[in-house]
Amino acid sequence: MKLLLTFLALSFCHSTWAQMTLPSAFPDMRNANPAVIPLRTSGHLKLAYQKDSVKRKQSILADDDFPFSGNQKDEVELNTINAFIGGKGGGATSEFSFDGTSGKQRSNFVLDGESNHFDVNASSYLIKYALGFDSRWGLELLYMGYKSDYDIDFVLGGDPTNISIEQKSSAPGIKLGTIIGDPSLSLGLTFQYSALKVETKGADEDTDDETEPLSIFGVGLGTGGTDGLLELAMEFDPISNQDQDDLMPMKFSFIAEARIESLVLGYKGMLFRGNFIELDKIIQDQLIY
């Protein structure tokens, strides 16, 4: 019964991502640095499903770039599946994860008295396999697939118009990581490279395939032991698709954990700057944020 209750409790949690320098006290925490995997004190198996329904309203104000005003209502539905298998540390240790999301968005907006509709159907998946070694370094292989269909009905100059656009993306990638130091003060370093390929069809003509490199560097400082953990980490992309006026894509994270007898408390906060791409949350970013 205890095993069944544990499985049910974990089956309805969204995937959580951590550790850059030290293993978490929470066994379902996935690595942000594959070098952390061999330090895990226990193995873990997780299967989760999550359904999200979002309703949003906003006002549209005219300006020099968009000379229309009106109101918009959006309804978004997302279905997410997460699967995760992490081995117990000691020697070469592996980790496998699968994240799949399907979503749809229905938007109704009125611009200058004209009713318009915008529909999106999208799906994506991310597969990762990571292997960490006692020599305090690790390797991760990943592959992301994405597809979206846009259907737009709008009125322009009194004439109804329909546009349908299909977009497909894929991103194979690799991540390397290492850890320097000991639990009293650990430095984690990572580098991830992905080749994001985008193909667009529709809007009167097809576009050529475009490939954009994503080069993400990571650095984190952590300290802790059996009674707790503190970690501050930063991931940033100084190379990919940077226009002069754009902010460098960055992600900051802070993790704090404390063990009080048999109770473990934890907190994770994240701050994003610029257009930082998380491959497992592309649909959430597109349809919600």
Side-chain angles (χ1 to χ4, degrees):
M1 177 62 72
K2 181 178 180 181
L3 178 61
L4 175 61
L5 292 176
T6 301
F7 174 78
L8 291 175
L10 294 176
S11 296
F12 296 93
C13 301
H14 194 271
S15 63
T16 49
W17 296 87
Q19 312 302 117
M20 181 72 74
T21 60
L22 295 166
S24 171
F26 298 91
D28 62 331
M29 277 287 194
R30 306 187 197 179
N31 80 83
N33 181 352
V36 174
I37 300 174
L39 304 178
R40 185 182 289 123
T41 57
S42 62
H44 192 72
L45 170 65
K46 176 181 177 180
L47 178 64
Y49 168 78
Q50 179 171 320
K51 182 178 180 65
D52 296 288
S53 295
V54 179
K55 293 185 178 181
R56 177 176 52 210
K57 296 180 181 180
Q58 60 183 342
S59 297
I60 302 172
L61 302 178
D63 58 22
D64 293 337
D65 297 324
F66 190 77
F68 304 99
S69 61
N71 297 293
Q72 179 176 337
K73 295 180 180 180
D74 303 318
E75 294 184 1
V76 180
E77 291 186 2
L78 298 177
N79 293 279
T80 304
I81 297 175
N82 309 111
F84 171 68
I85 301 174
K88 182 180 179 180
T93 310
S94 62
E95 185 177 283
F96 171 83
S97 65
F98 171 85
D99 297 279
T101 303
S102 63
K104 59 182 180 179
Q105 174 180 329
R106 174 70 172 176
S107 298
N108 297 290
F109 49 98
V110 178
L111 296 177
D112 291 347
E114 300 287 357
S115 179
N116 303 271
H117 304 284
F118 181 77
D119 294 304
V120 182
N121 288 281
S123 61
S124 72
Y125 63 90
L126 177 64
I127 300 173
K128 288 188 174 186
Y129 176 78
L131 188 62
F133 302 92
D134 275 345
S135 51
R136 301 175 74 80
W137 75 277
L139 168 70
E140 181 177 86
L141 302 176
L142 60 96
Y143 186 87
M144 185 277 294
Y146 168 83
K147 179 182 178 182
S148 61
D149 295 302
Y150 302 84
D151 191 33
I152 306 170
D153 293 303
F154 65 97
V155 178
L156 183 63
D159 297 325
T161 303
N162 175 265
I163 296 178
S164 295
I165 301 173
E166 178 185 283
Q167 188 176 80
K168 294 181 180 179
S169 302
S170 62
I174 186 172
K175 176 186 277 190
L176 299 173
T178 187
I179 298 174
I180 302 171
D182 54 51
S184 62
L185 183 62
S186 293
L187 173 67
L189 300 171
T190 62
F191 172 71
Q192 176 181 321
Y193 177 84
S194 302
L196 179 61
K197 181 180 179 181
V198 180
E199 177 185 358
T200 304
K201 297 181 179 180
D204 297 330
E205 62 181 21
D206 298 344
T207 64
D208 296 332
D209 295 350
E210 299 178 2
T211 301
E212 175 186 347
L214 301 177
S215 303
I216 300 176
F217 297 83
V219 58
L221 282 174
T223 181
T226 58
D227 294 328
L229 166 69
L230 287 175
E231 180 180 282
L232 181 64
M234 175 180 66
E235 297 172 80
F236 58 97
D237 184 355
I239 301 174
S240 306
N241 193 26
Q242 290 298 300
D243 296 328
Q244 189 174 17
D245 296 332
D246 288 346
L247 295 173
M248 181 189 298
M250 303 180 75
K251 172 187 173 182
F252 300 90
S253 61
F254 172 75
I255 298 170
E257 297 178 3
R259 183 186 299 274
I260 306 173
E261 296 183 352
S262 60
L263 177 65
V264 180
L265 302 176
Y267 170 82
K268 180 177 182 180
M270 292 183 293
L271 174 65
F272 292 86
R273 178 181 183 269
N275 185 29
F276 188 88
I277 296 177
E278 293 187 295
L279 293 179
D280 63 312
K281 296 182 177 63
I282 283 184
I283 293 183
Q284 289 89 337
D285 292 342
Q286 177 192 12
L287 300 187
I288 298 179
Y289 305 123

